[in-house]
Amino acid sequence: MPEFSASLHSKLPKVGTTIFTVMSQLANDEGALNLSQGFPDFDASPQLLELVNKALHSGENQYAPMAGLPSLREKLAEKTEKIYGAKYDPDTEITITAGATQAIFTAIAATLNEGDEVIIFTPAYDCYEPAVELVGAKPVFIPLKAPDFKVNWEEVKKMVNQRTRMIIINSPHNPTGMVFSKEDMLQLDKITHESNILILSDEVYEHMVFDGKTHESAAKYPHLAERSFIISSFGKTYHTTGWKIGYCLAPAELTKEFRKTHQYNVFAVNRPIQKAYSEYLENEAAYLELSRFYQEKRDLFNSLIRGSKFSLQPAEGTYFQMLGYENISDEKDTEFAIRLTKEHKIASIPISVFYNQDLNPRMLRFCFAKQNSTLEQAAEILHKI
Ligand code: PMP
Ligand code: GLN
């Protein structure tokens, strides 16, 4: 390339390449077992693959409507009413997006102004903070404390002020596996009730909640729903992270603003896959059985880890299990994760990258959305450390 200095003034000077890309790349380079980035090592249901195939061969290959295929939005409205008792109008309150990541970015870009404050709980999934910063709003971080990573609502109350414009919640929570209770939602309701605070509720792991707990969607709480962008991802629910399709539920006034931004950075997303999901949503067992499916994987992984030097608190939801290594090493988690990948051939995600401060929680996140044989191999390696 000829030399050209664009003299860019970076809008995100602190941001590098995401940890998910870094660790998956390292796992590939090192031939390591990859339990880092969150994706299954098994395939989607043959029925779903067949439906995509059918859509591809029946002319579903041009632009979908901007907000998403009507049949898919209708199916989502039915599902949301059935499982959360909340009515969303498919025409004005449901938008299909290019994954949850785009929905999160769009909700933030469409509603926040310079100087608005946004409460983010740490450790936090990594796409919230850069989106908030790009639009000139200000992230305000509130730490979740180990070992249970529950929210201290008294602290939240103290941090809320006239400039607070949004609170981002994520239950089931990545990376800790923590799940919000009904009481958490009621506390959030109390804090936001008389305010103009918006809620961004990242619910991509809504169908992975264990030990008889239920997912407390913001949709179940009318006063929360009226101010919420509720975001989910078909990638998580249907073992299809590579297809990158998600959606956003929000009241008409919020959806109207959301779509103004959505139509100019995406317009519409992959049509044949929307068609296939709309038909696959008929199969209720596919999402209703998911918690049981992943609870078995969590239990298998955790039972295999017991007796090793790693410590654990079973994840309440998601497909991630955090393991503590305080009995093994004082190393910084980023270094320890790299060493495990290079020397022991197992990749994980260091937790410190989900914080805004330089911390060393001495915990690593492992994805258990894997075949049982992969989990057995992983445990065998971890026992030797
Ligand atoms: N939110 C959380 C908490 C996630 O873990 C992920 C990861 N996949 C996303 C959002 C993004 O989902 P998608 O792949 O549909 O963009
Ligand atoms: N959400 C996935 C995880 O937490 C990764 C998604 C991504 O690679 N951006 O691992």
Side-chain angles (χ1 to χ4, degrees):
M1 278 281 189
E3 230 174 69
F4 164 70
S5 169
S7 308
L8 289 182
H9 184 70
S10 176
K11 300 189 79 173
L12 295 171
K14 289 180 297 186
V15 169
T17 303
T18 82
I19 191 69
F20 308 115
T21 302
V22 170
M23 291 311 296
S24 274
Q25 183 65 50
L26 188 65
N28 284 343
D29 293 349
E30 294 292 331
L33 211 54
N34 188 3
L35 273 64
S36 65
Q37 192 178 20
F39 62 87
D41 72 345
F42 43 85
D43 214 346
S45 130
Q47 188 196 350
L48 176 57
L49 300 180
E50 195 41 55
L51 288 170
V52 174
N53 204 13
K54 192 179 86 182
L56 281 170
H57 292 95
S58 53
E60 296 283 350
N61 295 311
Q62 309 311 327
Y63 290 126
M66 182 269 277
L69 271 195
S71 58
L72 179 56
R73 287 183 278 135
E74 277 155 25
K75 279 283 163 3
L76 282 173
E78 279 167 32
K79 174 187 177 222
T80 308
E81 182 162 11
K82 197 158 184 177
I83 63 177
Y84 301 131
K87 278 195 199 306
Y88 281 87
D89 182 333
D91 286 337
T92 58
E93 301 185 316
I94 302 179
T95 311
I96 310 301
T97 60
T101 310
Q102 182 240 313
I104 291 165
F105 189 89
T106 300
I108 288 171
T111 58
L112 296 182
N113 290 298
E114 216 169 312
D116 286 343
E117 290 189 4
V118 181
I119 291 180
I120 298 178
F121 298 101
T122 55
Y125 185 59
D126 69 342
C127 77
Y128 310 143
E129 180 188 353
V132 168
E133 288 194 333
L134 267 178
V135 299
K138 182 178 165 218
V140 173
F141 297 100
I142 299 185
L144 304 169
K145 293 203 179 62
D148 60 8
F149 296 96
K150 298 291 175 198
V151 174
N152 178 344
W153 293 106
E154 284 308 311
E155 207 175 334
V156 179
K157 224 186 278 174
K158 281 189 215 141
M159 301 300 270
V160 166
N161 62 50
Q162 288 303 312
R163 290 181 300 280
T164 310
R165 191 68 182 106
M166 182 181 271
I167 299 178
I168 301 181
I169 59 172
N170 169 219
S171 173
H173 184 257
N174 181 6
T176 68
M178 175 273 285
V179 166
F180 271 16
S181 64
K182 190 171 177 192
E183 184 53 28
D184 286 311
M185 300 308 274
L186 294 175
Q187 291 284 346
L188 179 64
D189 191 353
K190 236 196 227 164
I191 290 174
T192 53
H193 199 69
E194 307 242 301
S195 74
N196 66 353
I197 297 173
L198 299 169
I199 292 165
L200 192 163
S201 187
D202 178 347
E203 303 187 11
V204 301
Y205 300 104
E206 63 182 321
H207 297 299
M208 302 171 201
V209 179
F210 312 137
D211 306 320
K213 291 197 171 65
T214 49
H215 171 58
E216 295 302 322
S217 174
K220 284 168 129 179
Y221 299 82
H223 290 301
L224 292 178
E226 69 185 13
R227 60 182 72 243
S228 292
F229 292 98
I230 297 174
I231 288 163
S232 195
S233 172
F234 293 107
K236 306 290 170 189
T237 302
Y238 293 138
H239 317 308
T240 49
T241 60
W243 295 357
K244 291 297 294 186
I245 300 196
Y247 58 92
C248 175
L249 312 176
E253 188 193 351
L254 298 185
T255 294
K256 192 171 162 207
E257 250 356 88
F258 181 96
R259 288 183 185 169
K260 286 186 196 171
T261 299
H262 171 82
Q263 68 184 342
Y264 292 124
N265 71 349
V266 178
F267 185 64
V269 303
N270 188 309
R271 179 174 189 132
I273 291 183
Q274 290 192 63
K275 176 74 179 167
Y277 282 144
S278 75
E279 293 175 2
Y280 194 56
L281 272 163
E282 302 271 351
N283 178 354
E284 291 179 11
Y287 55 86
L288 294 177
E289 291 285 307
L290 203 64
S291 285
R292 189 192 47 77
F293 174 79
Y294 276 122
Q295 182 172 328
E296 277 175 23
K297 298 232 172 259
R298 179 204 64 174
D299 290 346
L300 173 66
F301 185 59
N302 290 358
S303 70
L304 291 167
I305 296 301
R306 290 218 170 84
S308 77
K309 287 192 184 145
F310 288 92
S311 63
L312 67 89
Q313 288 267 1
E316 297 175 324
T318 75
Y319 49 42
F320 302 116
Q321 177 63 53
M322 301 227 289
L323 298 183
Y325 62 89
E326 66 283 356
N327 300 323
I328 300 172
S329 167
D330 285 330
E331 268 165 286
K332 172 87 183 150
D333 62 354
T334 40
E335 281 153 29
F336 189 58
I338 289 170
R339 190 161 71 79
L340 291 196
T341 313
K342 289 187 172 167
E343 289 177 16
H344 296 274
K345 305 296 174 198
I346 184 161
S348 58
I349 297 287
I351 296 305
S352 63
V353 301
F354 298 89
Y355 285 91
N356 61 314
Q357 300 154 284
D358 190 19
L359 294 175
N360 187 14
R362 288 194 289 175
M363 279 188 205
L364 301 174
R365 189 199 79 177
F366 291 80
C367 174
F368 57 76
K370 304 293 167 191
Q371 299 174 55
N372 292 354
S373 56
T374 310
L375 298 177
E376 281 157 14
Q377 280 177 53
E380 203 175 304
I381 297 175
L382 293 172
H383 269 274
K384 293 189 186 133
I385 296 167

